[in-house]
Amino acid sequence: MKKLCAFVLGLMLAACSKNPAEQIKGNDYVLIDAPEGMEISIGFDSEAPKFYGQAVNRYFGNYEIDGNKIKFSAIGSTMMAAPEPMMKAETEYFQNIGKIENIKLEGNKLILSGDDTTLEFEQVDQE
């Protein structure tokens, strides 16, 4: 019984210490507190350090992870229009992505933070 408990504890510790770069690969997330009527998402390519998502427009770019530090760069997006409140929310979201410095995973939550900004996402179930 002691060996079984030690084995299970070892597995749990290994799962907790996984590299965020490996844990996010191939996963999609939805912003938890997106403005009403909007779904803002972010996803991570399974092969390359690239991200993508959608607010009003589809967006994409590159990222680098070093431990629990993350940096998003080369952000591009499509150029569709929407009602002013949605456009304002998207602009604010894009500005906040540029401030992100830290990445943390808690269960199915992805928490990105930096410079007084915290964005919390929930993982989308993979079908």
Side-chain angles (χ1 to χ4, degrees), residues 28-82:
D28 295 316
Y29 301 86
V30 177
L31 187 64
I32 292 172
D33 63 350
E36 188 174 333
M38 282 186 81
E39 182 174 284
I40 298 176
S41 66
I42 190 167
F44 299 89
D45 189 278
S46 62
E47 300 296 322
K50 297 183 182 298
F51 68 95
Y52 52 85
Q54 185 157 353
V56 169
N57 289 283
R58 293 179 187 266
Y59 67 95
F60 47 88
N62 302 315
Y63 69 91
E64 292 178 36
I65 293 182
D66 184 10
N68 291 324
K69 298 291 183 186
I70 188 168
K71 181 179 179 182
F72 293 98
S73 60
I75 299 174
S77 74
T78 58
M79 303 280 290
M80 297 186 306

Short mmCIF file of all heavy atoms in Angstrom, two decimals, residues 28-82:
data_model
loop_
_atom_site.label_atom_id
_atom_site.label_comp_id
_atom_site.label_asym_id
_atom_site.label_seq_id
_atom_site.Cartn_x
_atom_site.Cartn_y
_atom_site.Cartn_z
N ASP A 28 -7.08 24.66 -26.89
CA ASP A 28 -7.82 25.89 -27.12
C ASP A 28 -8.47 26.31 -25.80
O ASP A 28 -8.91 25.46 -25.02
CB ASP A 28 -8.91 25.69 -28.17
CG ASP A 28 -8.33 25.37 -29.54
OD1 ASP A 28 -7.35 26.03 -29.93
OD2 ASP A 28 -8.84 24.46 -30.20
N TYR A 29 -8.56 27.63 -25.60
CA TYR A 29 -9.10 28.19 -24.37
C TYR A 29 -10.06 29.33 -24.69
O TYR A 29 -9.91 30.00 -25.71
CB TYR A 29 -7.97 28.73 -23.48
CG TYR A 29 -6.94 27.68 -23.11
CD1 TYR A 29 -5.87 27.39 -23.93
CD2 TYR A 29 -7.06 26.98 -21.91
CE1 TYR A 29 -4.93 26.42 -23.60
CE2 TYR A 29 -6.13 26.01 -21.56
CZ TYR A 29 -5.07 25.75 -22.40
OH TYR A 29 -4.14 24.79 -22.06
N VAL A 30 -11.01 29.57 -23.79
CA VAL A 30 -11.97 30.66 -23.93
C VAL A 30 -11.82 31.59 -22.73
O VAL A 30 -11.75 31.12 -21.58
CB VAL A 30 -13.42 30.11 -24.02
CG1 VAL A 30 -14.41 31.25 -24.09
CG2 VAL A 30 -13.58 29.21 -25.21
N LEU A 31 -11.79 32.90 -22.99
CA LEU A 31 -11.68 33.89 -21.93
C LEU A 31 -12.90 33.80 -21.02
O LEU A 31 -14.04 33.84 -21.49
CB LEU A 31 -11.57 35.29 -22.54
CG LEU A 31 -11.27 36.43 -21.57
CD1 LEU A 31 -9.89 36.27 -20.93
CD2 LEU A 31 -11.34 37.77 -22.31
N ILE A 32 -12.67 33.67 -19.72
CA ILE A 32 -13.76 33.46 -18.77
C ILE A 32 -14.65 34.70 -18.63
O ILE A 32 -15.86 34.59 -18.63
CB ILE A 32 -13.21 33.03 -17.40
CG1 ILE A 32 -12.60 31.62 -17.53
CG2 ILE A 32 -14.30 33.05 -16.32
CD1 ILE A 32 -11.86 31.15 -16.31
N ASP A 33 -14.06 35.88 -18.52
CA ASP A 33 -14.87 37.08 -18.30
C ASP A 33 -14.96 37.97 -19.54
O ASP A 33 -14.88 39.19 -19.45
CB ASP A 33 -14.35 37.87 -17.09
CG ASP A 33 -12.93 38.38 -17.30
OD1 ASP A 33 -12.28 37.98 -18.27
OD2 ASP A 33 -12.47 39.19 -16.47
N ALA A 34 -15.17 37.34 -20.69
CA ALA A 34 -15.33 38.11 -21.93
C ALA A 34 -16.58 38.98 -21.83
O ALA A 34 -17.55 38.62 -21.15
CB ALA A 34 -15.45 37.17 -23.12
N PRO A 35 -16.57 40.13 -22.49
CA PRO A 35 -17.75 40.99 -22.47
C PRO A 35 -18.99 40.26 -22.98
O PRO A 35 -18.89 39.34 -23.81
CB PRO A 35 -17.38 42.13 -23.43
CG PRO A 35 -15.89 42.13 -23.45
CD PRO A 35 -15.47 40.70 -23.27
N GLU A 36 -20.13 40.65 -22.48
CA GLU A 36 -21.39 40.01 -22.87
C GLU A 36 -21.56 40.04 -24.38
O GLU A 36 -21.31 41.04 -25.04
CB GLU A 36 -22.56 40.73 -22.21
CG GLU A 36 -23.87 40.02 -22.40
CD GLU A 36 -25.01 40.66 -21.63
OE1 GLU A 36 -24.76 41.30 -20.59
OE2 GLU A 36 -26.14 40.53 -22.10
N GLY A 37 -21.95 38.91 -24.92
CA GLY A 37 -22.17 38.80 -26.36
C GLY A 37 -20.93 38.48 -27.16
O GLY A 37 -20.98 38.38 -28.38
N MET A 38 -19.78 38.33 -26.49
CA MET A 38 -18.52 38.03 -27.18
C MET A 38 -17.94 36.73 -26.65
O MET A 38 -18.08 36.43 -25.47
CB MET A 38 -17.48 39.13 -26.95
CG MET A 38 -17.67 40.37 -27.77
SD MET A 38 -16.28 41.52 -27.54
CE MET A 38 -15.05 40.82 -28.63
N GLU A 39 -17.28 36.01 -27.53
CA GLU A 39 -16.46 34.90 -27.10
C GLU A 39 -15.05 35.19 -27.60
O GLU A 39 -14.85 35.36 -28.80
CB GLU A 39 -16.97 33.58 -27.67
CG GLU A 39 -16.13 32.41 -27.19
CD GLU A 39 -16.68 31.07 -27.60
OE1 GLU A 39 -17.67 30.63 -26.99
OE2 GLU A 39 -16.12 30.49 -28.55
N ILE A 40 -14.14 35.28 -26.68
CA ILE A 40 -12.74 35.53 -27.02
C ILE A 40 -11.97 34.26 -26.73
O ILE A 40 -12.08 33.69 -25.64
CB ILE A 40 -12.17 36.73 -26.23
CG1 ILE A 40 -12.95 38.00 -26.59
CG2 ILE A 40 -10.68 36.89 -26.50
CD1 ILE A 40 -12.55 39.23 -25.80
N SER A 41 -11.22 33.80 -27.71
CA SER A 41 -10.50 32.54 -27.56
C SER A 41 -9.03 32.70 -27.87
O SER A 41 -8.61 33.65 -28.53
CB SER A 41 -11.11 31.48 -28.48
OG SER A 41 -10.89 31.84 -29.83
N ILE A 42 -8.26 31.74 -27.38
CA ILE A 42 -6.84 31.63 -27.73
C ILE A 42 -6.52 30.14 -27.81
O ILE A 42 -7.05 29.34 -27.04
CB ILE A 42 -5.92 32.35 -26.72
CG1 ILE A 42 -4.49 32.43 -27.25
CG2 ILE A 42 -5.98 31.71 -25.34
CD1 ILE A 42 -3.59 33.39 -26.48
N GLY A 43 -5.70 29.78 -28.77
CA GLY A 43 -5.29 28.40 -28.95
C GLY A 43 -3.81 28.35 -29.28
O GLY A 43 -3.21 29.35 -29.68
N PHE A 44 -3.25 27.18 -29.11
CA PHE A 44 -1.81 27.01 -29.32
C PHE A 44 -1.56 25.84 -30.26
O PHE A 44 -2.09 24.75 -30.06
CB PHE A 44 -1.12 26.79 -27.97
CG PHE A 44 -1.30 27.95 -27.04
CD1 PHE A 44 -2.39 28.02 -26.18
CD2 PHE A 44 -0.40 29.00 -27.06
CE1 PHE A 44 -2.58 29.09 -25.34
CE2 PHE A 44 -0.58 30.09 -26.22
CZ PHE A 44 -1.67 30.14 -25.35
N ASP A 45 -0.79 26.09 -31.29
CA ASP A 45 -0.45 25.08 -32.29
C ASP A 45 0.22 23.88 -31.60
O ASP A 45 0.96 24.05 -30.64
CB ASP A 45 0.50 25.70 -33.32
CG ASP A 45 0.75 24.81 -34.50
OD1 ASP A 45 1.60 23.91 -34.38
OD2 ASP A 45 0.10 25.01 -35.54
N SER A 46 -0.03 22.70 -32.10
CA SER A 46 0.54 21.50 -31.50
C SER A 46 1.98 21.24 -31.93
O SER A 46 2.68 20.47 -31.29
CB SER A 46 -0.32 20.28 -31.81
OG SER A 46 -0.37 20.06 -33.20
N GLU A 47 2.42 21.89 -33.00
CA GLU A 47 3.76 21.63 -33.52
C GLU A 47 4.76 22.77 -33.35
O GLU A 47 5.92 22.54 -33.11
CB GLU A 47 3.66 21.29 -35.02
CG GLU A 47 2.80 20.08 -35.33
CD GLU A 47 3.36 18.79 -34.76
OE1 GLU A 47 4.59 18.62 -34.78
OE2 GLU A 47 2.56 17.97 -34.28
N ALA A 48 4.28 23.99 -33.51
CA ALA A 48 5.19 25.14 -33.50
C ALA A 48 4.75 26.14 -32.43
O ALA A 48 3.60 26.12 -32.00
CB ALA A 48 5.15 25.82 -34.87
N PRO A 49 5.65 27.02 -32.01
CA PRO A 49 5.28 28.02 -31.00
C PRO A 49 4.45 29.16 -31.61
O PRO A 49 4.88 30.30 -31.71
CB PRO A 49 6.62 28.50 -30.46
CG PRO A 49 7.57 28.31 -31.59
CD PRO A 49 7.07 27.10 -32.34
N LYS A 50 3.26 28.81 -32.05
CA LYS A 50 2.35 29.76 -32.67
C LYS A 50 1.02 29.72 -31.92
O LYS A 50 0.62 28.68 -31.43
CB LYS A 50 2.12 29.42 -34.13
CG LYS A 50 3.39 29.50 -34.98
CD LYS A 50 3.10 29.22 -36.43
CE LYS A 50 4.35 29.25 -37.26
NZ LYS A 50 5.05 30.50 -37.29
N PHE A 51 0.37 30.88 -31.84
CA PHE A 51 -0.94 30.95 -31.21
C PHE A 51 -1.93 31.54 -32.19
O PHE A 51 -1.56 32.13 -33.21
CB PHE A 51 -0.90 31.76 -29.91
CG PHE A 51 -0.63 33.23 -30.11
CD1 PHE A 51 -1.68 34.13 -30.19
CD2 PHE A 51 0.66 33.71 -30.24
CE1 PHE A 51 -1.45 35.48 -30.38
CE2 PHE A 51 0.91 35.07 -30.42
CZ PHE A 51 -0.15 35.95 -30.50
N TYR A 52 -3.20 31.37 -31.89
CA TYR A 52 -4.27 31.85 -32.76
C TYR A 52 -5.50 32.04 -31.89
O TYR A 52 -5.57 31.53 -30.76
CB TYR A 52 -4.57 30.85 -33.88
CG TYR A 52 -4.82 29.47 -33.35
CD1 TYR A 52 -6.10 29.09 -32.91
CD2 TYR A 52 -3.79 28.54 -33.23
CE1 TYR A 52 -6.32 27.82 -32.38
CE2 TYR A 52 -4.00 27.28 -32.71
CZ TYR A 52 -5.28 26.93 -32.28
OH TYR A 52 -5.49 25.69 -31.75
N GLY A 53 -6.46 32.75 -32.38
CA GLY A 53 -7.70 32.91 -31.62
C GLY A 53 -8.68 33.79 -32.35
O GLY A 53 -8.47 34.17 -33.51
N GLN A 54 -9.75 34.11 -31.64
CA GLN A 54 -10.77 34.97 -32.23
C GLN A 54 -11.37 35.84 -31.14
O GLN A 54 -11.65 35.40 -30.04
CB GLN A 54 -11.86 34.15 -32.90
CG GLN A 54 -12.86 35.05 -33.60
CD GLN A 54 -13.61 34.32 -34.69
OE1 GLN A 54 -13.32 33.19 -35.04
NE2 GLN A 54 -14.59 35.00 -35.25
N ALA A 55 -11.55 37.11 -31.48
CA ALA A 55 -12.33 38.06 -30.68
C ALA A 55 -13.42 38.50 -31.65
O ALA A 55 -14.28 37.72 -31.98
CB ALA A 55 -11.44 39.19 -30.19
N VAL A 56 -13.34 39.72 -32.17
CA VAL A 56 -14.16 40.08 -33.33
C VAL A 56 -13.48 39.47 -34.55
O VAL A 56 -14.09 38.82 -35.37
CB VAL A 56 -14.28 41.61 -33.48
CG1 VAL A 56 -14.90 41.97 -34.82
CG2 VAL A 56 -15.09 42.21 -32.34
N ASN A 57 -12.19 39.69 -34.62
CA ASN A 57 -11.37 39.20 -35.73
C ASN A 57 -10.57 37.98 -35.30
O ASN A 57 -10.31 37.77 -34.12
CB ASN A 57 -10.39 40.31 -36.16
CG ASN A 57 -11.11 41.43 -36.85
OD1 ASN A 57 -11.48 41.31 -38.00
ND2 ASN A 57 -11.35 42.53 -36.14
N ARG A 58 -10.17 37.21 -36.28
CA ARG A 58 -9.23 36.13 -36.02
C ARG A 58 -7.86 36.77 -35.85
O ARG A 58 -7.52 37.73 -36.55
CB ARG A 58 -9.20 35.15 -37.18
CG ARG A 58 -10.50 34.40 -37.33
CD ARG A 58 -10.42 33.44 -38.52
NE ARG A 58 -11.69 32.84 -38.77
CZ ARG A 58 -12.08 31.66 -38.29
NH1 ARG A 58 -11.26 30.97 -37.52
NH2 ARG A 58 -13.27 31.18 -38.56
N TYR A 59 -7.07 36.22 -34.93
CA TYR A 59 -5.72 36.75 -34.72
C TYR A 59 -4.75 35.59 -34.57
O TYR A 59 -5.14 34.44 -34.37
CB TYR A 59 -5.69 37.69 -33.51
CG TYR A 59 -5.93 37.03 -32.18
CD1 TYR A 59 -4.87 36.62 -31.40
CD2 TYR A 59 -7.22 36.80 -31.71
CE1 TYR A 59 -5.09 36.00 -30.17
CE2 TYR A 59 -7.45 36.19 -30.50
CZ TYR A 59 -6.37 35.79 -29.73
OH TYR A 59 -6.58 35.18 -28.53
N PHE A 60 -3.45 35.92 -34.68
CA PHE A 60 -2.44 34.88 -34.70
C PHE A 60 -1.09 35.51 -34.44
O PHE A 60 -0.94 36.74 -34.53
CB PHE A 60 -2.43 34.18 -36.07
CG PHE A 60 -2.44 35.17 -37.21
CD1 PHE A 60 -1.27 35.70 -37.72
CD2 PHE A 60 -3.65 35.62 -37.74
CE1 PHE A 60 -1.28 36.63 -38.74
CE2 PHE A 60 -3.68 36.56 -38.77
CZ PHE A 60 -2.48 37.07 -39.27
N GLY A 61 -0.13 34.69 -34.10
CA GLY A 61 1.22 35.18 -33.87
C GLY A 61 2.11 34.10 -33.30
O GLY A 61 1.79 32.91 -33.34
N ASN A 62 3.24 34.52 -32.78
CA ASN A 62 4.23 33.63 -32.20
C ASN A 62 4.32 33.86 -30.70
O ASN A 62 3.96 34.94 -30.21
CB ASN A 62 5.60 33.87 -32.82
CG ASN A 62 5.58 33.69 -34.32
OD1 ASN A 62 5.03 32.73 -34.84
ND2 ASN A 62 6.18 34.62 -35.04
N TYR A 63 4.83 32.88 -30.00
CA TYR A 63 5.08 33.05 -28.58
C TYR A 63 6.36 32.31 -28.20
O TYR A 63 6.81 31.41 -28.91
CB TYR A 63 3.90 32.54 -27.73
CG TYR A 63 3.70 31.05 -27.75
CD1 TYR A 63 4.32 30.22 -26.81
CD2 TYR A 63 2.89 30.44 -28.71
CE1 TYR A 63 4.14 28.85 -26.83
CE2 TYR A 63 2.71 29.07 -28.73
CZ TYR A 63 3.34 28.28 -27.79
OH TYR A 63 3.16 26.92 -27.82
N GLU A 64 6.93 32.72 -27.08
CA GLU A 64 8.10 32.06 -26.51
C GLU A 64 7.79 31.81 -25.04
O GLU A 64 7.25 32.68 -24.37
CB GLU A 64 9.34 32.95 -26.58
CG GLU A 64 9.84 33.22 -27.97
CD GLU A 64 11.05 34.15 -27.96
OE1 GLU A 64 11.87 34.07 -27.01
OE2 GLU A 64 11.14 34.98 -28.86
N ILE A 65 8.13 30.62 -24.57
CA ILE A 65 7.97 30.30 -23.15
C ILE A 65 9.32 29.89 -22.59
O ILE A 65 10.04 29.09 -23.19
CB ILE A 65 6.95 29.17 -22.92
CG1 ILE A 65 5.55 29.64 -23.31
CG2 ILE A 65 6.97 28.71 -21.47
CD1 ILE A 65 4.46 28.62 -23.08
N ASP A 66 9.65 30.45 -21.43
CA ASP A 66 10.85 30.08 -20.70
C ASP A 66 10.41 29.88 -19.25
O ASP A 66 10.19 30.86 -18.53
CB ASP A 66 11.91 31.17 -20.82
CG ASP A 66 13.22 30.78 -20.14
OD1 ASP A 66 13.38 29.61 -19.74
OD2 ASP A 66 14.09 31.66 -19.99
N GLY A 67 10.25 28.64 -18.85
CA GLY A 67 9.73 28.35 -17.50
C GLY A 67 8.29 28.81 -17.41
O GLY A 67 7.44 28.36 -18.17
N ASN A 68 8.03 29.74 -16.49
CA ASN A 68 6.68 30.30 -16.33
C ASN A 68 6.55 31.68 -16.95
O ASN A 68 5.62 32.42 -16.65
CB ASN A 68 6.31 30.34 -14.84
CG ASN A 68 6.12 28.95 -14.28
OD1 ASN A 68 5.62 28.07 -14.97
ND2 ASN A 68 6.52 28.74 -13.04
N LYS A 69 7.48 32.03 -17.80
CA LYS A 69 7.45 33.32 -18.50
C LYS A 69 7.01 33.08 -19.94
O LYS A 69 7.43 32.13 -20.58
CB LYS A 69 8.83 33.99 -18.51
CG LYS A 69 9.35 34.33 -17.13
CD LYS A 69 8.55 35.44 -16.52
CE LYS A 69 9.09 35.86 -15.18
NZ LYS A 69 8.25 36.84 -14.53
N ILE A 70 6.14 33.96 -20.44
CA ILE A 70 5.67 33.85 -21.82
C ILE A 70 5.71 35.22 -22.47
O ILE A 70 5.50 36.24 -21.80
CB ILE A 70 4.24 33.25 -21.90
CG1 ILE A 70 3.84 32.96 -23.36
CG2 ILE A 70 3.24 34.16 -21.19
CD1 ILE A 70 2.59 32.11 -23.50
N LYS A 71 6.03 35.24 -23.75
CA LYS A 71 6.04 36.48 -24.51
C LYS A 71 5.34 36.21 -25.84
O LYS A 71 5.71 35.29 -26.56
CB LYS A 71 7.46 36.97 -24.76
CG LYS A 71 7.50 38.27 -25.53
CD LYS A 71 8.90 38.76 -25.75
CE LYS A 71 8.80 40.06 -26.53
NZ LYS A 71 10.10 40.60 -26.85
N PHE A 72 4.33 37.04 -26.12
CA PHE A 72 3.62 36.97 -27.40
C PHE A 72 4.23 37.99 -28.34
O PHE A 72 4.52 39.12 -27.93
CB PHE A 72 2.13 37.27 -27.21
CG PHE A 72 1.41 36.23 -26.41
CD1 PHE A 72 1.19 36.41 -25.05
CD2 PHE A 72 0.97 35.07 -27.00
CE1 PHE A 72 0.53 35.45 -24.30
CE2 PHE A 72 0.30 34.09 -26.26
CZ PHE A 72 0.08 34.29 -24.91
N SER A 73 4.42 37.63 -29.62
CA SER A 73 4.98 38.58 -30.57
C SER A 73 4.40 38.34 -31.96
O SER A 73 3.75 37.33 -32.21
CB SER A 73 6.51 38.45 -30.61
OG SER A 73 6.88 37.15 -30.99
N ALA A 74 4.65 39.28 -32.82
CA ALA A 74 4.23 39.22 -34.22
C ALA A 74 2.73 38.97 -34.35
O ALA A 74 2.29 38.11 -35.11
CB ALA A 74 5.02 38.16 -34.97
N ILE A 75 1.93 39.72 -33.59
CA ILE A 75 0.48 39.54 -33.62
C ILE A 75 -0.10 40.18 -34.88
O ILE A 75 0.16 41.35 -35.17
CB ILE A 75 -0.18 40.14 -32.36
CG1 ILE A 75 0.34 39.43 -31.12
CG2 ILE A 75 -1.70 40.02 -32.44
CD1 ILE A 75 -0.13 40.03 -29.81
N GLY A 76 -0.88 39.40 -35.59
CA GLY A 76 -1.59 39.90 -36.76
C GLY A 76 -3.06 39.54 -36.62
O GLY A 76 -3.42 38.68 -35.82
N SER A 77 -3.92 40.21 -37.38
CA SER A 77 -5.34 39.89 -37.31
C SER A 77 -6.03 40.24 -38.61
O SER A 77 -5.51 41.01 -39.43
CB SER A 77 -6.02 40.62 -36.16
OG SER A 77 -6.20 41.98 -36.44
N THR A 78 -7.22 39.67 -38.78
CA THR A 78 -8.06 40.07 -39.89
C THR A 78 -8.62 41.46 -39.58
O THR A 78 -8.36 42.00 -38.50
CB THR A 78 -9.20 39.05 -40.11
OG1 THR A 78 -9.96 38.96 -38.90
CG2 THR A 78 -8.65 37.69 -40.49
N MET A 79 -9.37 42.05 -40.49
CA MET A 79 -9.80 43.44 -40.32
C MET A 79 -11.32 43.60 -40.48
O MET A 79 -11.78 44.47 -41.19
CB MET A 79 -9.07 44.33 -41.33
CG MET A 79 -7.57 44.27 -41.27
SD MET A 79 -6.89 45.27 -39.96
CE MET A 79 -7.21 46.89 -40.55
N MET A 80 -12.10 42.78 -39.80
CA MET A 80 -13.55 42.90 -39.88
C MET A 80 -14.04 43.91 -38.85
O MET A 80 -13.40 44.12 -37.82
CB MET A 80 -14.20 41.54 -39.65
CG MET A 80 -13.83 40.53 -40.71
SD MET A 80 -14.70 38.95 -40.57
CE MET A 80 -14.38 38.46 -38.92
N ALA A 81 -15.19 44.49 -39.11
CA ALA A 81 -15.78 45.47 -38.20
C ALA A 81 -16.92 44.83 -37.43
O ALA A 81 -17.49 43.82 -37.84
CB ALA A 81 -16.28 46.68 -38.98
N ALA A 82 -17.24 45.45 -36.30
CA ALA A 82 -18.35 45.02 -35.45
C ALA A 82 -18.85 46.25 -34.71
O ALA A 82 -18.26 47.33 -34.82
CB ALA A 82 -17.87 43.94 -34.49
#
